[in-house]
Amino acid sequence: MNTKNRKIILPTMKKKGCKGNPQGVTRLFLGNLPFAVNEGSLDAFFPGTITHVKWITDKETGKFYGSAFCEMDNAKNAAGAVAMAGQKLLGRPIKINFAPARPGDIWPPTTKAVKGGQAGGSGVEAMSEKPEGCVKLFIGNLSYDIDDDTITKFFANVDAEVKAVRWLHHQDTGDFKGVGFVEFWNTEACGRAATLNAKSLLGRPIRIDWTD
């Protein structure tokens, strides 16, 4: 995207309320994002200009959750973006909500994009090196219809018996992040389960990686 033609934003416009956004909120939560999303695709999708993006990643693994916070250039364009909730970005209907910064939050960030600029990529993502004796996998790009029974049957296709499943949810909204962790009874079963990386589960290619 050509940044030379970006608008000059006047500070007085930023928090001015408008129809559909009387509080003048300019910080948004974005959910169910495709892993191929980046700053350019967000800029092209939304009205106005996104001035800052914070990609949400797992603290332990660094994996992208498929969600982000972004700052819009003014309240009117923030309202326009929220009105687009449910529209498809790169083939996926995204969630968009107002998300005012809480007291103590450092917002907006000091740089335009934090926690990983490019959030994903195309094709099958290579898995990291398998830790010795690994019995747990990170799973991502999951359908919001996923449940324990479905994931257990999915891995049973390669004779990988599931010991435990942990789904991750956003603290602020309680929404499912589309990711989780699966533990197996032994490292051999875990290895067989990992061969299903990028295979279709409920219509979406599952993302699998090793984790401690």
Side-chain angles (χ1 to χ4, degrees), residues 171-190:
Q171 284 186 339
D172 293 343
T173 64
D175 289 339
F176 176 49
K177 292 179 177 180
V179 301
F181 294 93
V182 180
E183 185 178 357
F184 300 87
W185 289 99
N186 53 59
T187 189
E188 292 78 17
C190 189

Side-chain angles (χ1 to χ4, degrees), residues 76-187:
K76 181 178 179 181
N77 286 330
V82 170
M84 297 173 68
Q87 293 190 30
K88 291 185 177 181
L89 170 62
L90 301 178
R92 293 179 66 173
I94 67 172
K95 295 184 176 183
I96 313 170
N97 299 309
F98 291 116
R102 297 171 299 183
D105 284 348
I106 300 175
W107 191 267
T110 55
T111 57
K112 185 178 188 295
V114 294
K115 289 288 185 182
Q118 172 91 16
S122 59
V124 178
E125 184 170 337
M127 295 178 64
S128 59
E129 184 178 352
K130 181 182 179 181
E132 185 176 355
C134 182
V135 295
K136 186 185 293 185
L137 295 176
F138 165 86
I139 53 174
N141 196 34
L142 301 172
S143 166
Y144 282 77
D145 294 325
I146 193 71
D147 56 26
D148 289 9
D149 186 56
T150 301
I151 199 68
T152 298
K153 290 180 179 178
F154 178 72
F155 287 120
N157 290 320
V158 290
D159 194 27
E161 186 178 356
V162 171
K163 180 180 180 181
V165 181
R166 179 164 67 95
W167 307 115
L168 301 188
H169 298 80
H170 291 285
Q171 284 186 339
D172 293 343
T173 64
D175 289 339
F176 176 49
K177 292 179 177 180
V179 301
F181 294 93
V182 180
E183 185 178 357
F184 300 87
W185 289 99
N186 53 59
T187 189

